[in-house]
Amino acid sequence: MSWYPVPLPDLTGRRYLVTGANAGLGFFTSARLVGAGAHVVLSGRSPERLETAAAVIRERVVAGADRGELGGRVSTLVIDTASLDSVRAGVAALRGEPQLDGAVLNAGMVHTPGRRLESPDGNELVLATNVLGHFALLAGLFGAAGSGDELVPGSRRFADGARVITLGSLSTKLSTFRVEQLQLERGYDFWRAYAQSKIAGQSIGFELDRRLRRAGVPVASVVAHPGYAISGRTPTVPGVNEPSRGDRFADALQAAWAQGKHRGAEPVLHALTAAEVAGGEFWGPRGLVKGEPAKQQPTRVSSDPVIGAKTWAFAELATATPFTLVG
């Protein structure tokens, strides 16, 4: 593991939003960014869990600045990506803050329900949490004031040169994809719900970069995946990651093809901060399931421009959010 951790540039003065930041990949991504000097806005649906994660980062990372090390800032913002009202409230709170140098769209359901459930807005719950909430969040950060509003020039919350990182998944290689069946109103299956949501998320991530380029907006969209990153291979962090002894034992048996979430965060961090990364790229572990960050080839369906345009149009309709980028 001589490659770990990947060096990060000095991020002093940079500001990032990380969704689902109170645990897992989001927590370790946030902690590393703060350790490099950035101000990170941790978002999640539970204020208590957000405060626990923020306290750990302040104690373990920010305090390092007192010893002459880099140390940024951390703040919290409640956003439940399953609820469009919550997303729009979060966007409104960010409007009064300085622009962002990047966003990591990490929040999502991994352990999906065994039966079809709906979000407060009537969308399939896994899709709403993993994809549609982030779509509405991006629309707001690029200038839309709320449901049904067009984007307003000059109201973009991203600074020039910012990057948007969408969390992809290896599951995108293991499922078919039908835009017209994303709501899974018939034939719901917990695995299909997860895999299709990750394909849709990647599809929108790549489509976002195409649209940013066409509009001349100086922001890049990149997709990154963590490989096979599991809790039992991850360091214990009280209140954040506390797998049982049984989980530790079971996950240790997968050591040959699995890594901890702290290492799974490294391709995400690289995609967000490395100078050589360009918009529209796909990054993940060199060994596919584990290892240092490397540029990779996404699935054809998730990178297809025709499918991307259809998925974008579906998300606009499902969220009642027009999203036409303004340069």
Side-chain angles (χ1 to χ4, degrees), residues 169-175 177 198-200 202-203 206 282 296-304 307:
S169 171
L170 290 175
S171 67
T172 60
K173 298 177 179 292
L174 305 172
S175 177
F177 184 69
K198 299 308 289 187
I199 298 172
Q202 286 191 187
S203 181
F206 291 126
F282 183 57
Q296 300 178 356
Q297 188 68 31
T299 58
R300 183 178 302 177
V301 67
S302 68
S303 58
D304 185 302
I307 294 174

Side-chain angles (χ1 to χ4, degrees), residues 15 23 75 97 103 121 265 269:
R15 194 164 181 269
S75 58
E97 300 293 327
D121 307 287
L269 289 158

Side-chain angles (χ1 to χ4, degrees), residues 16-158:
Y16 299 98
L17 170 69
V18 180
T19 69
N22 57 270
L25 294 164
F27 171 81
F28 290 103
T29 298
S30 300
R32 289 270 280 129
L33 291 172
V34 173
H39 174 191
V40 179
V41 181
L42 312 180
S43 84
R45 64 181 182 178
S46 167
E48 294 79 15
R49 295 187 69 185
L50 282 173
E51 287 303 328
T52 297
V56 171
I57 292 175
R58 291 187 186 110
E59 178 183 351
R60 298 190 178 190
V61 181
V62 178
D66 297 334
R67 300 189 296 272
E69 303 168 10
L70 287 175
R73 293 179 53 210
V74 60
S75 58
T76 63
L77 176 63
V78 175
I79 297 178
D80 179 358
T81 55
S83 165
L84 295 177
D85 283 346
S86 178
V87 168
R88 287 165 182 146
V91 170
L94 289 167
R95 282 212 178 88
E97 300 293 327
Q99 286 185 311
L100 297 165
D101 294 286
V104 178
L105 309 183
N106 167 79
M109 299 179 69
V110 177
H111 305 292
T112 53
R115 62 186 180 88
R116 186 181 185 277
L117 301 175
E118 291 190 349
S119 73
D121 307 287
N123 294 304
E124 191 276 313
L125 184 60
V126 181
L127 180 71
T129 305
N130 294 6
V131 182
L132 299 179
H134 283 134
F135 183 85
L137 176 64
L138 287 176
L141 294 177
F142 276 104
S147 176
D149 292 328
E150 297 290 347
L151 272 66
V152 180
S155 60
R156 170 161 51 95
R157 301 314 310 148
F158 287 110

Side-chain angles (χ1 to χ4, degrees), residues 83-293:
S83 165
L84 295 177
D85 283 346
S86 178
V87 168
R88 287 165 182 146
V91 170
L94 289 167
R95 282 212 178 88
E97 300 293 327
Q99 286 185 311
L100 297 165
D101 294 286
V104 178
L105 309 183
N106 167 79
M109 299 179 69
V110 177
H111 305 292
T112 53
R115 62 186 180 88
R116 186 181 185 277
L117 301 175
E118 291 190 349
S119 73
D121 307 287
N123 294 304
E124 191 276 313
L125 184 60
V126 181
L127 180 71
T129 305
N130 294 6
V131 182
L132 299 179
H134 283 134
F135 183 85
L137 176 64
L138 287 176
L141 294 177
F142 276 104
S147 176
D149 292 328
E150 297 290 347
L151 272 66
V152 180
S155 60
R156 170 161 51 95
R157 301 314 310 148
F158 287 110
D160 289 357
R163 292 181 191 170
V164 175
I165 310 300
T166 297
L167 260 291
S169 171
L170 290 175
S171 67
T172 60
K173 298 177 179 292
L174 305 172
S175 177
T176 57
F177 184 69
R178 297 289 185 273
V179 176
E180 65 276 7
Q181 297 176 17
L182 280 174
Q183 294 282 10
L184 294 178
E185 292 165 327
R186 294 185 298 275
Y188 176 88
D189 174 83
F190 73 93
W191 163 252
R192 191 178 177 204
Y194 177 75
Q196 283 212 143
S197 76
K198 299 308 289 187
I199 298 172
Q202 286 191 187
S203 181
I204 289 174
F206 291 126
E207 178 65 13
L208 174 61
D209 195 72
R210 289 188 286 266
R211 295 187 180 222
L212 288 166
R213 291 175 185 270
R214 288 199 298 266
V217 178
V219 176
S221 176
V222 184
V223 180
H225 77 89
Y228 185 39
I230 54 179
S231 181
R233 302 291 297 164
T234 306
T236 294
V237 180
V240 174
N241 186 70
E242 299 180 284
S244 67
R245 292 179 65 182
D247 288 339
R248 287 281 187 203
F249 177 78
D251 287 356
L253 298 177
Q254 306 181 72
W257 57 85
Q259 62 184 356
K261 295 187 178 183
H262 58 310
R263 290 188 167 93
E266 295 298 301
V268 178
L269 289 158
H270 185 84
L272 182 65
T273 66
E276 69 267 28
V277 175
E281 292 181 345
F282 183 57
W283 286 79
R286 186 173 298 280
L288 191 62
V289 292
K290 62 188 295 187
E292 64 185 309

